[in-house]
Amino acid sequence: PKVEVVSTLECPKCNLKRVRDFKRGDYVFKSDEPCTRCDGMMVINRIHRKKTEKDIAKQKKADEETGDV
């Protein structure tokens, strides 16, 4: 199965967060693109697999079983 990977970007000046599709060449702490809110540069702070409905349901079930609801 194909896995969707996303990059999470954050602006260090105003803390704006944005999630976009992973691009070849992305890496954590890379200064990537200008912030849309201020004049800062967005920095990649996380690269991860996109959560599916199945993942969300599995996490909810696990939380219910452990009482973390």
Side-chain angles (χ1 to χ4, degrees):
K2 187 175 179 181
V3 176
E4 290 185 59
V5 179
V6 293
S7 297
T8 302
L9 297 92
E10 185 173 352
C11 176
K13 280 189 167 182
C14 69
N15 296 320
L16 176 70
K17 291 183 181 176
R18 182 170 112 65
V19 177
R20 64 157 172 78
D21 290 337
F22 175 83
K23 295 178 188 173
R24 183 180 292 271
D26 280 357
Y27 57 90
V28 177
F29 303 124
K30 176 184 178 186
S31 293
D32 193 60
E33 58 190 49
C35 178
T36 55
R37 186 187 294 167
C38 71
D39 62 348
M41 274 304 269
M42 301 287 279
V43 176
I44 297 173
N45 64 356
R46 187 172 180 213
I47 297 173
H48 56 99
R49 177 172 64 101
K50 188 174 183 178
K51 288 188 177 180
T52 63
E53 293 294 324
K54 186 177 177 181
D55 293 333
I56 294 168
K58 185 187 272 186
Q59 182 64 47
K60 185 176 179 181
K61 183 178 179 184
D63 288 346
E64 289 172 353
E65 289 174 358
T66 60
D68 291 340
V69 178

